[in-house]
Amino acid sequence: MAETVADEDLKQTPLHDLHIELGGKMVPFAGYSMPVQYKLGIMGEHQQTRSKAGLFDVSHMGQAVLIGPDHETTAKALEALTPSNFVELGYGRQRYTVLLNEDGGIIDDLMVTRPLDPNDDGRLLLVVNAARKDVDYAHLRAKLPETVKLEVVDDRALIAVQGPEAVAAVAAHAPAAAELGFMSAAPIEFDGIACHIARAGYTGEDGVEMSVPAGAAEAIARALLADDRVEAIGLGARDSLRLEAGLCLYGHDIDETTSPVEGNITFCMQKRRREEGGFPGADRIQKELAEGTGRIRIGLRLDGKAPAREGAEIALPGGDVIGILTSGGFAPTVGAPIAMGYVPAEHASEGTQLELIVRNRRLPATVSAMPFVPNRYYRKPKA
């Protein structure tokens, strides 16, 4: 997870000093100095998030706004670059999508939100991956029509609070947060501080992501961490949580060679877009939807206790190598190692027996449904 970068070349988030104070073990990640774990350790932080609530600094992610004359214009401009339906996205609603290259490969995966306030009509809020910010922004600026502009937001931090008690902890300071449904967002004050809060996250748990003024980030984080239900969580547990949730990590499980069909994330493609096309690589993607794809991302459960990591080969039992792992590790909630990787579609059925080659040993594994741990997203009761 860490990378080799000189400390003086690393950027810092607005919560950097707080991470140090809390005993965070800092590592280079996507050009930033980020905490990989705190005193609880990765296992403890993982279990804290699953049982109570964890606070994650995700301020390294890119925040930006698309600005056009009206919603339809801005939505259609983004639809020309992604396979998702944004024209029909409701006020205060959020959607996961992918930027596509001309071959249908994934440039990045990102979150897109239509503001709740009709006065912001024509704006779409973006959150992109830290390591892809520059690539994404350059791509958007090159491809957007003159009527739609990209405005990068660099004066805000991003804080995620995840877990079964996360929303209650946030609502103690921002009561309106409790009224949000999954994948919805609104401008909400936190102790009088203007924030933008979305009920979403990347752990499989209920929770929120809060875009907050950079100068107020530490005060907000301290207020939340003063709650007995909340602990600071680092990159290590963030990775094990998203793996249990069966969620992709860009640059590992998906990249510019991977289509949304191969990546097994076709939920980002709504019916109208699947049928109409009109996005980069549509010919390839629509053909894969209709006829299947040569390879596909699968989940795997290992039989023993030894984990397999990214790069391990996937093989037929006693036979040839047929694929490669893209993520893997021990799953604390499952109590066993799990992994994700790519294999030919004919070997992707749940229950298929395979082997993972780790240090020249063949470890038995079984194709598993994802998520490995049931999601606990909050769905508002229908009136």
Side-chain angles (χ1 to χ4, degrees):
M1 174 160 290
E3 54 205 43
T4 304
V5 183
D7 287 350
E8 61 269 21
D9 295 330
L10 294 173
K11 299 175 184 176
Q12 297 179 356
T13 76
L15 295 180
H16 182 268
D17 291 346
L18 180 59
H19 297 317
I20 301 297
E21 180 185 323
L22 294 173
K25 179 182 178 182
M26 308 303 287
V27 299
F29 183 77
Y32 284 79
S33 176
M34 296 293 291
V36 69
Q37 67 180 71
Y38 299 90
K39 294 173 184 176
L40 269 180
I42 293 173
M43 181 78 75
E45 292 169 26
H46 182 110
Q47 293 169 335
Q48 166 73 25
T49 307
R50 288 277 184 248
S51 62
K52 294 182 180 179
L55 183 147
F56 302 74
D57 180 11
V58 285
S59 303
H60 58 312
M61 306 281 279
Q63 299 185 65
V65 188
L66 295 182
I67 305 172
D70 54 68
H71 174 69
E72 185 171 1
T73 300
T74 308
K76 285 185 174 179
L78 189 55
E79 284 190 3
L81 305 176
T82 71
S84 305
N85 179 351
F86 293 111
V87 170
E88 296 167 78
L89 187 65
Y91 288 110
R93 296 296 299 169
Q94 188 175 68
R95 183 155 283 165
Y96 172 87
T97 193
V98 290
L99 281 175
L100 297 172
N101 61 29
E102 293 304 318
D103 296 323
I106 300 169
I107 296 170
D108 197 11
D109 60 338
L110 62 153
M111 300 298 290
V112 180
T113 307
R114 184 181 184 183
L116 182 63
D117 189 346
N119 292 324
D120 287 328
D121 192 55
R123 290 175 173 249
L124 290 174
L125 314 179
L126 313 181
V127 177
V128 306
N129 281 302
R132 301 296 285 175
K133 282 191 282 195
D134 293 343
V135 172
D136 293 352
Y137 297 158
H139 180 77
L140 287 164
R141 288 188 170 116
K143 298 294 185 179
L144 289 170
E146 290 186 3
T147 52
V148 179
K149 304 298 181 188
L150 174 74
E151 183 177 287
V152 175
V153 178
D154 53 15
D155 60 350
R156 298 185 73 80
L158 197 62
I159 297 172
V161 191
Q162 299 283 291
E165 298 189 34
V167 173
V170 172
H173 305 268
E179 302 303 313
L180 294 171
F182 179 57
M183 296 294 272
S184 65
I188 296 173
E189 287 193 352
F190 183 106
D191 290 345
I193 301 165
C195 302
H196 190 266
I197 301 180
R199 196 155 190 172
Y202 222 61
T203 61
E205 293 291 336
D206 187 19
V208 298
E209 290 190 344
M210 307 168 54
S211 175
V212 309
E218 186 173 321
I220 290 171
R222 287 185 184 277
L224 288 164
L225 291 169
D227 191 313
D228 290 342
R229 296 170 288 190
V230 183
E231 294 284 350
I233 311 297
L235 292 171
R238 183 167 177 248
D239 193 53
S240 58
L241 288 159
R242 70 91 196 166
L243 177 57
E244 286 187 344
L247 298 170
C248 295
L249 179 63
Y250 190 85
H252 301 260
D253 307 297
I254 50 175
D255 58 29
E256 292 207 31
T257 70
T258 317
S259 77
V261 184
E262 291 176 324
N264 209 354
I265 53 171
T266 52
F267 63 85
C268 75
M269 307 173 63
Q270 289 69 44
K271 183 180 178 183
R272 174 175 65 83
R273 302 307 316 281
R274 294 179 187 222
E275 294 174 352
E276 292 181 1
F279 47 82
D283 289 348
R284 168 192 176 183
I285 291 170
Q286 288 177 310
K287 183 177 181 181
E288 289 177 348
L289 285 169
E291 302 175 8
T293 179
R295 61 170 188 155
I296 194 163
R297 180 175 65 98
I298 59 166
L300 290 158
R301 290 178 183 253
L302 282 73
D303 290 358
K305 290 292 184 182
R309 308 290 182 182
E310 178 182 358
E313 293 177 320
I314 306 171
L316 296 174
D320 294 340
V321 170
I322 59 167
I324 193 163
L325 285 194
T326 53
S327 287
F330 185 79
T333 313
V334 177
I338 58 174
M340 300 191 299
Y342 283 82
V343 297
E346 60 265 30
H347 301 293
S349 298
E350 186 177 350
T352 300
Q353 299 299 304
L354 297 171
E355 291 178 337
L356 307 181
I357 302 175
V358 179
R359 300 188 190 90
N360 295 319
R361 291 175 57 217
R362 287 180 170 248
L363 306 180
T366 305
V367 177
S368 169
M370 295 184 286
F372 299 96
V373 173
N375 292 331
R376 293 197 283 189
Y377 304 131
Y378 173 70
R379 310 284 182 179
K380 291 184 76 170
K382 292 186 178 180

